[in-house]
Amino acid sequence: MKNESGKETIESLLREGRIFHPPSELVESSNIKAFMDRHGIKTYEELLERAKDIEWFWSEMVKETGIEWYEEPSKIMEWNPPYVKWFVGAKYNIVHNAVDKQVKIRKNKVAYIWEGEPGESMKITFGELYTEVSRLANVLKALGIKKGDRVTIWLPMIPELPIAMLACAKIGAVHSVVFSGFSERALLDRILDSKAKLLITADGFYRNGKIVELKSRADEVLDKAHTIENVIVYNRINEINVNMMPGRDYWWQDIVKGHSRSCDTEILDANDLLFILYTSGTTGKPKGVMHAHGGYAVGTASTLKFIFDIKEDDIWWCSADIGWITGHSYIVYGPLILGATQVMYEGAPLYPQPDRWWSIIEKYGVTVFYTAPTAIRMFMRLGEKWPARHDLSTLRLLGTVGEPINPEAWVWYYKYIGNARCPIMDTWWQTETGMQMISPLPITPLKPGSVTKPFPGIDADVYDPNGSSLNKKDIGGYLVIKKPWPAMLRGLWEAEEKYISTYWSMFDNIYFTGDAARVDKDGYFWVQGRLDDVLKVSGHRIGNSEIESALVSHPTVSEAAVVGKPHEIKGEAIVAFIVLRSGYEPSEELKKTLRKHVEIEIGKIARPDEIYFVTDLPKTRSGKIMRRVCRALLLGMHPGDTSTLANPEAVEAVKKVIS
Ligand code: WT7
């Protein structure tokens, strides 16, 4: 089925069972094909088979990504379930590869092309990156930051964010980046949990044409953040009045003056901690996922090299925020290790109008582009006239991450952004995995909506509740990883029991991802969504109970149940059922107040889309609120067996408000 211009229609592209083969020029010139040729590997299947020898495969990946150790490892991997060490005995620092080494070979190559929301554009070379990282690292040392100390970074999408992360890593300090869209309350929780000594922030940033303040908001909580000794503030906006506490707060631009433009990189153990990144789990409190220097470097750089096929002349753009793992791995460490040139954009995708992203791709000649399904669905809604205004012909490969992509959105992305030439790498991974785990390679035949097959060296499977494999059975089950991988999390910050119970207690010595998936008869993985109480809203991960805790911290709320509901663009919408304390009456006004309250407690991304006031919530005899029942009722499904409820009448109470 072709339309007038000779191109295939969306309908024909969506034909059930259709397989998309990558263009042969792309396959022939790909990094993965070259790797296979070097090792006499003929087929994709053979590649996956050979990579089952993980010690062989990951040592090859060390060479492929140009990782240089200060001292060679004595052992590739040591697995003491549930803890792993990679490149045991190696002396290393990720900054050596990401920055120091690059200065020797790519000093004048552009590392970041940055565009601010108001339109300013700036380039920073690897040489300049080295200087800025070193100057800040010297400042950190002067402020008494030592190896192992935690530094919280609350910065927007400006080059100073990667610079701050790298400066910490350079001296062996541990960074904890907090997404700039989180609230100051969320910032405080993360500072206190990690006992950070220093905060690096900015006066503010631009988003949707408006100024979002950061420092003034941090000030609201800094009196409670008693572990913080100093605050470094980058002057991004310059028009905001910022209070600076003498002796505690310093302007970045001032304090770096006079500091040396070079700084020795701390020689660490490859398994020393690189960063903590908080992510939502099933409890009310986010957990600090820990990643280490060596394995993380190998995992992020090798996946970027072979999945996204990054070569010397590519212009890579990952549209994520560095505040999430996607940005840590694929805007900071992975691309820098490969010496790639990338685009970094500060602002909102629709500002000043819905073609901002496409204008950026055209302006800088982006060749490989990585984004989230929620963004694609939003652009799909806005119509193809926006990308059609721009020349996107430099693109050769596309990618998505964060949540399942529906075939309609996949096909739209393929046709209108990739002009039916660019394969889409739908990459499945998590904050915990640190690196892409299940994903096509540029040689993989694609099925829209499937993340295809595990990356070589990754042993993924789907289990039934008894731990038997459902591989190729096309039956839904628990998505698990059976062998350690280099960028595997090293635990949860000061929460060992949580680490064991969350990931390692479902099956013996097998990592449980929290996701449901099925593997079809061709061995293709289809990720179906979270099995635990974690929501995916616009690709962002938010715990149901985190929002519930925020809600019940409001004086009017007695009980709350938060559930997800399918949403056309966001993937999931947040729905809250609320029982008010006696003396308070439901009202539209109160709904607004509660939405605002969640925004203050967590951030805008966690605000409920819908709020229902109920007189009672279904509970078990032990008093646990049954979200499952609320959700079933909300979606018009049968609530299942309610005879075990302590208060079966609550089912009627909930039904009443949603009808
Ligand atoms: C969860 C992890 C990894 C970077 C961003 C998210 C879901 C992730 C996919 C995909 C279907 C996906 C899973 C996973 N997810 N990628 N390609 N297809 N689902 O990181 O916030 O740690 O969330 O995102 O449910 O467990 P995260």
Side-chain angles (χ1 to χ4, degrees), residues 279 325-326 401-404 426-432 451 513 515 527 530 536 541:
T279 188
I325 191 70
T326 308
V401 61
E403 51 179 323
D426 179 353
T427 60
W428 177 91
W429 58 296
Q430 314 177 293
T431 305
E432 293 87 341
V451 292
T513 62
D515 281 359
V527 178
R530 302 287 309 188
K536 271 277 160 173
R541 179 164 162 184

